[in-house]
């Protein structure tokens, strides 16, 4: 399959907020272009996008995975659902043996083992690390375990059964695993190369963190009891962020394999995954300190590029920080992009094969109107991108 890349660029303004904290509790920052910028880590926005898939029902639950250490309990629950005659304790035992047959390592956490010695219920083994598995992979492991429930140790000593366990864990990936990948340090065969790369979002301008001093009053204080019941500080900043993600459609297709359903061509689940990612990445929002700041905003502008050359970020448009001389940052940031994008595409792009879509809000983004096909809303943008991706996939190589 030919290489196909989807670049998603967004400008988003957030008010006073602390979307992504460092180890001191302050908003993360980075130096770029010689000045400090607000920063939101790629991990924070990937987590927000993955959560958005299920919260907004962009994908069916059967197309999503779960990332957990409690994989033994997850398989055991499916075992008892398949065969209610298997007791819970026995289900945990055969689930543990089946999980270990895949090459994953499990153990009873020390703190829980200690609690069990003091009279607490016997704890279930857990994976030694977070494991990302799809619904179909968990179901498949449970079926394999039920098949050998009479003597799971002997069953899994058979090479065919053990190979089957590994095959189940490494095929039929969910959409989120296919997008964001899976890494297990001591089981390299278990790894899945991510189809998506997400950049750290940074502000297009210089940012200095600020600190909010707050007090809380004890409601039961009498008139004679003055002063606060609690005092503290919380750090924050506000910024206009440049956000960027690159999706390798060809890698996504390879990760999904034959597709999520037996009766559909590969282009169908790939299209669903692409549409979910474009929508989820665009509209999702990290929720750090959201109850404190209520920073519910959407991007002012989104530019999507479908290309066959390598991914290209437009962050260099903001290497010289936007000064905000016009009273804000969105207008100048949009003007910078409108000027920079054609220049870099002319120098390095493939104008004959690259497609561009733009979704923008308000007069401050007007200069971006001419650089691609405009969409009126997120649904229209997502549908247009999905259709174009499907058409590219269905073309002969």
């Amino acid at each position: 399959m030919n290489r196909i890349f989807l670049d998603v660029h967004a400008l988003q303004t957030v008010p006073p907020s602390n979307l992504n904290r460092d180890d001191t509790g302050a908003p993360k920052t980075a130096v770029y272009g010689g000045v400090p910028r607000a920063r939101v880590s790629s991990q924070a926005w990937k987590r927000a996008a993955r959560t958005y898939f299920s919260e907004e029902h962009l994908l069916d639950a059967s197309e999503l995975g779960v990332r957990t250490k409690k994989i033994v309990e997850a398989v055991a629950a499916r075992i008892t659902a398949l065969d209610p005659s298997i007791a819970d304790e026995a289900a945990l035992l055969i689930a543990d043996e089946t999980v270990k047959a895949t090459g994953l390592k499990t153990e009873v956490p020390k703190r829980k083992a200690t609690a069990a010695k003091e009279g607490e219920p016997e704890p279930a083994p857990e994976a030694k690390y977070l494991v990302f598995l799809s619904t179909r992979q968990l179901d498949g492991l449970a079926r394999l375990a039920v098949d050998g429930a009479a003597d799971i140790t002997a069953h899994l000593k058979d090479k065919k059964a053990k190979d089957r366990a590994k095959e189940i864990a490494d095929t039929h990936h969910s959409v989120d695993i296919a997008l964001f990948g899976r890494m297990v340090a001591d089981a390299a065969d278990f790894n899945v190369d991510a189809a998506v790369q997400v950049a750290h979002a940074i502000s297009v301008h210089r940012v200095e963190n600020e600190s909010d001093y707050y007090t809380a009053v004890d409601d039961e204080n009498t008139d004679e009891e003055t002063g606060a019941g609690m005092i503290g500080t919380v750090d924050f900043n506000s910024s206009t962020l440049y956000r960027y993600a690159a999706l390798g459609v060809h890698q996504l297709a390879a990760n999904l394999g034959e597709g999520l359903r037996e009766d559909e061509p590969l282009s169908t689940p790939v299209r669903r995954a692409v549409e979910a990612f474009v929508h989820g990445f665009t509209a999702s929002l990290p929720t750090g300190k959201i109850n404190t700041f209520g920073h519910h905003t959407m991007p002012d502008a989104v530019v999507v590029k479908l290309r066959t050359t390598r991914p290209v970020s437009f962050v260099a448009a903001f290497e010289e920080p936007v000064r905000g001389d016009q009273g804000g940052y969105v207008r100048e940031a949009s003007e910078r992009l409108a000027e920079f994008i054609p220049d870099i595409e002319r120098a390095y792009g493939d104008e004959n094969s690259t497609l561009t879509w733009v979704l923008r809000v308000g007069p401050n983004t007007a200069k971006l109107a001419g650089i691609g096909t405009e969409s009126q809303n997120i649904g229209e943008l997502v549908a247009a991108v999905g259709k174009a991706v499907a058409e590219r996939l269905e073309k002969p190589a």
Side-chain angles (χ1 to χ4, degrees):
M1 178 185 294
N2 293 330
R3 299 202 312 165
I4 307 172
F5 293 103
L6 196 70
D7 290 338
V8 184
H9 315 262
L11 291 176
Q12 183 165 355
T13 296
V14 289
S17 56
N18 190 342
L19 279 72
N20 186 209
R21 303 189 291 277
D22 65 16
D23 58 340
T24 69
K28 289 183 177 179
T29 59
V31 174
Y32 182 64
V35 302
R37 313 286 185 114
R39 176 172 66 92
V40 181
S41 72
S42 59
Q43 185 68 13
W45 228 300
K46 282 190 282 189
R47 164 72 178 173
R50 192 166 64 86
T51 303
Y52 197 85
F53 293 158
S54 57
E55 289 178 345
E56 299 299 321
H57 306 292
L58 299 183
L59 292 166
D60 187 79
S62 65
E63 297 179 297
L64 295 172
V66 59
R67 189 174 63 175
T68 182
K69 288 184 176 182
K70 299 178 180 179
I71 181 177
V72 173
E73 292 178 69
V75 173
R78 287 165 166 79
I79 289 170
T80 54
L82 287 170
D83 188 347
S85 68
I86 299 176
D88 291 346
E89 187 174 339
L92 285 171
L93 175 63
I94 64 175
D96 187 37
E97 292 298 319
T98 305
V99 168
K100 287 190 288 191
T102 68
L104 297 172
K105 296 180 179 179
T106 67
E107 63 181 1
V108 175
K110 290 182 180 179
R111 68 185 188 283
K112 293 185 179 181
T114 301
K117 291 178 183 178
E118 297 173 356
E120 296 290 329
E122 189 69 24
E126 295 181 0
K128 297 176 71 173
Y129 26 67
L130 287 172
V131 180
F132 207 176
L133 287 172
S134 73
T135 299
R136 291 198 297 174
Q137 288 165 348
L138 291 169
D139 290 343
L141 290 174
R143 285 192 293 271
L144 178 65
V146 169
D147 289 343
D151 188 345
I152 192 65
T153 302
H155 181 59
L156 293 174
K157 279 185 178 179
D158 181 75
K159 187 176 184 303
K160 288 184 178 179
K162 196 166 186 176
D163 289 346
R164 179 62 182 149
K166 292 180 178 180
E167 181 186 5
I168 289 169
D170 200 32
T171 54
H172 297 122
H173 298 304
S174 61
V175 169
D176 43 1
I177 293 175
L179 285 168
F180 299 113
R182 181 174 69 193
M183 188 185 79
V184 180
D186 58 4
D189 291 344
F190 210 69
N191 294 345
V192 178
D193 291 335
V196 169
Q197 299 170 346
V198 177
H200 289 232
I202 63 170
S203 63
V204 301
H205 53 88
R206 183 187 187 99
V207 162
E208 299 290 350
N209 287 344
E210 301 179 71
S211 184
D212 176 43
Y213 171 81
Y214 65 86
T215 64
V217 177
D218 188 327
D219 290 344
E220 295 298 315
N221 275 358
T222 64
D223 291 341
E224 290 75 24
E225 295 175 295
T226 59
M230 182 177 67
I231 60 175
T233 60
V234 58
D235 293 336
F236 67 93
N237 60 36
S238 59
S239 59
T240 296
L241 299 168
Y242 169 74
R243 300 169 47 207
Y244 170 69
L247 168 58
V249 178
H250 54 286
Q251 182 66 55
L252 174 63
N255 288 352
L256 286 174
E258 294 303 317
L260 293 171
R261 299 168 190 161
E262 302 299 331
D263 60 344
E264 62 184 8
L266 177 59
S267 60
T268 303
V270 172
R271 177 174 179 170
R272 281 201 305 274
V274 167
E275 291 180 348
F277 177 73
V278 172
H279 192 161
F281 178 72
T282 299
S284 62
L285 186 68
T287 56
K289 290 286 184 181
I290 200 162
N291 289 339
T292 301
F293 293 104
H295 51 264
H296 295 283
T297 64
M298 288 288 191
D300 298 274
V302 180
V303 178
V304 179
K305 292 271 188 178
L306 184 63
R307 62 172 79 247
T308 54
T309 56
R310 76 167 181 82
V312 180
S313 168
F314 299 144
V315 69
F318 310 110
E319 192 270 341
E320 181 182 340
V322 173
R323 297 178 59 87
D325 296 334
Q326 302 176 48
Y329 299 110
V330 174
R331 184 186 298 273
E332 187 177 343
S334 297
E335 291 171 353
R336 291 271 194 97
L337 279 182
E339 180 179 346
F340 183 81
I341 292 173
D343 283 349
I344 199 165
E345 292 289 5
R346 187 163 43 250
Y348 297 106
D350 183 352
E351 296 181 358
N352 294 324
S353 64
T354 300
L355 300 176
T356 307
W357 298 267
V358 177
L359 174 64
R360 61 182 191 83
V361 179
N364 286 338
T365 61
K367 288 294 181 67
L368 289 170
I371 67 169
T373 303
E374 279 207 73
S375 298
Q376 296 302 307
N377 53 57
I378 185 66
E380 187 177 305
L381 172 70
V382 164
V385 173
K387 180 182 178 183
V389 166
E391 290 173 349
R392 287 279 176 94
L393 288 173
E394 290 164 3
K395 279 185 178 180

